[in-house]
Amino acid sequence: MKAIKWVTIITCLTTFLLSCSASVKNDWEALVSNPENHGQIKDYVLSKLIREEYQSVEDLFDYLIDKKTRNKDGFHLSSTLYEELAESYKRGELYLYDAWCEQTSHHSAFVVRGLYRIYEGWRVRGSQAASLVPEENFRTFRDKLLLAKHNYTTAYRLNQKDPNIAAGMMMIVVGTAAGEEEREKWFERGKEADETFYGIYAVKLTDLLPKWGGDLQEALNFAQTLYDNPPKDSMTYLLMLLIIDEFFDDTDKITTLFSSHEEIETFIDDVATRYKSEY
């Protein structure tokens, strides 16, 4: 009788634990499955980090990356979530990410903390030309990027399938003026992880722009190629809009692509139609 009683207790306990695990998983699945709820995911993750319930957060990121889940605008939801969490540097939530990194070996913790450091660095540096940045600010910027690189290096060691890691490393190597070989290495790694990932192409285009030491024609060719022949299920044709935004007020440069502003408006309408047909 005692043996039967213990078996019953263990069975009930196992069922209870499994149901708890399922409910934990289902709470984020309900948020992910409905695009209208995506805006709540960041707060969900922060609440889990505050309670040090890391497993559910890590399961969430694994799901988003494995399924290549998109938000209602068509962009990868994992990228959006990383950005939203990293932008909390404005509120000083680094302590949450430090605690997470200390207690896990999951790559997502290091991606969040690495991107947090990148945003910190760019806030100090600003978007002006390097020659206009005060030396002290530039030193702080580089220090923040080195901290970010340490986190992304750890993240990549733990997981090579998350394209957000390569995109982050691209931001770092561009910001630190690393060599062409290093830039190309991370661009290729990003495509290998997920060739539909818009972020890796956007960072590459930024790197090619003249204001970051690139070549205008090379940037145009890159964006035009991805407009004409985007990887299947990708949104890289939108890169042409970045080109237009960058050079709209520069007549000499924009006329290498379009003969008039009317032609630009027609092109933008075509892109919008293409985008609306997909999302």
Side-chain angles (χ1 to χ4, degrees):
M1 288 293 293
K2 287 184 177 180
I4 294 175
K5 183 177 180 180
W6 276 109
V7 169
T8 302
I9 291 173
I10 291 171
T11 300
C12 290
L13 180 59
T14 301
T15 301
F16 172 74
L17 291 174
L18 288 174
S19 67
C20 288
S21 174
S23 66
V24 167
K25 186 175 182 180
N26 286 338
D27 59 9
W28 61 253
E29 283 189 340
L31 294 175
V32 170
S33 62
N34 184 354
E36 297 303 319
N37 293 332
H38 287 175
Q40 302 174 40
I41 297 177
K42 180 198 71 173
D43 290 335
Y44 163 84
V45 169
L46 289 174
S47 71
K48 292 295 184 182
L49 296 182
I50 289 170
R51 295 197 295 271
E52 298 187 357
E53 297 175 3
Y54 303 128
Q55 188 61 56
S56 55
V57 175
E58 293 162 4
D59 289 344
L60 167 60
F61 272 111
D62 283 341
Y63 178 90
L64 297 180
I65 293 157
D66 180 58
K67 302 299 183 182
K68 302 179 182 179
T69 308
R70 306 291 184 97
N71 64 19
K72 63 182 180 180
D73 297 319
F75 295 99
H76 285 63
L77 187 53
S78 62
S79 179
T80 303
L81 183 54
Y82 280 133
E83 289 169 4
E84 290 177 345
L85 292 170
E87 285 173 353
S88 67
Y89 73 83
K90 300 170 184 175
R91 299 189 301 274
E93 289 167 347
L94 181 60
Y95 75 97
L96 289 176
Y97 309 147
D98 284 340
W100 185 14
C101 288
E102 287 170 5
Q103 299 181 57
T104 191
S105 58
H106 196 272
H107 79 281
S108 58
F110 298 95
V111 175
V112 172
R113 190 167 67 173
L115 191 54
Y116 184 105
R117 293 301 194 185
I118 289 175
Y119 286 171
E120 273 190 323
W122 279 102
R123 179 179 58 172
V124 173
R125 185 202 181 284
S127 59
Q128 65 268 44
S131 59
L132 301 177
V133 180
E135 182 59 34
E136 183 178 349
N137 290 26
F138 204 80
R139 265 199 311 272
T140 300
F141 168 67
R142 290 183 66 86
D143 288 345
K144 297 295 185 183
L145 291 193
L146 288 175
L147 289 172
K149 183 178 180 180
H150 173 74
N151 281 279
Y152 277 103
T153 300
T154 300
Y156 190 75
R157 176 173 55 80
L158 295 170
N159 188 325
Q160 293 82 50
K161 295 182 180 180
D162 185 346
N164 292 280
I165 300 172
M169 285 298 287
M170 278 285 289
M171 286 190 277
I172 292 166
V173 298
V174 170
T176 56
E180 180 62 29
E181 184 177 343
E182 188 73 2
R183 292 158 132 93
E184 198 60 28
K185 177 180 75 175
W186 286 107
F187 178 58
E188 291 300 324
R189 284 179 173 179
K191 290 194 297 181
E192 287 170 13
D194 181 0
E195 101 172 318
T196 72
F197 187 67
Y198 179 81
I200 193 69
Y201 298 98
V203 179
K204 176 67 173 177
L205 178 60
T206 299
D207 183 33
L208 294 174
L209 293 175
K211 70 178 180 181
W212 301 114
D215 177 76
L216 172 61
Q217 194 57 53
E218 192 174 354
L220 293 177
N221 291 344
F222 180 76
Q224 186 70 56
T225 298
L226 289 167
Y227 178 82
D228 294 334
N229 299 292
K232 184 180 178 181
D233 298 324
S234 77
M235 298 166 56
T236 59
Y237 59 87
L238 295 177
L239 292 173
M240 284 297 292
L241 297 183
L242 296 183
I243 290 286
I244 292 172
D245 182 63
E246 180 71 22
F247 300 117
F248 189 80
D249 294 323
D250 190 329
T251 305
D252 290 339
K253 290 185 173 64
I254 200 67
T255 52
T256 63
L257 266 182
F258 304 97
S259 60
S260 66
H261 280 91
E262 289 75 17
E263 188 178 343
I264 294 175
E265 291 173 3
T266 300
F267 180 83
I268 292 174
D269 288 342
D270 290 344
V271 173
T273 300
R274 183 174 179 178
Y275 175 77
K276 288 177 182 177
S277 70
E278 296 179 4
Y279 298 98

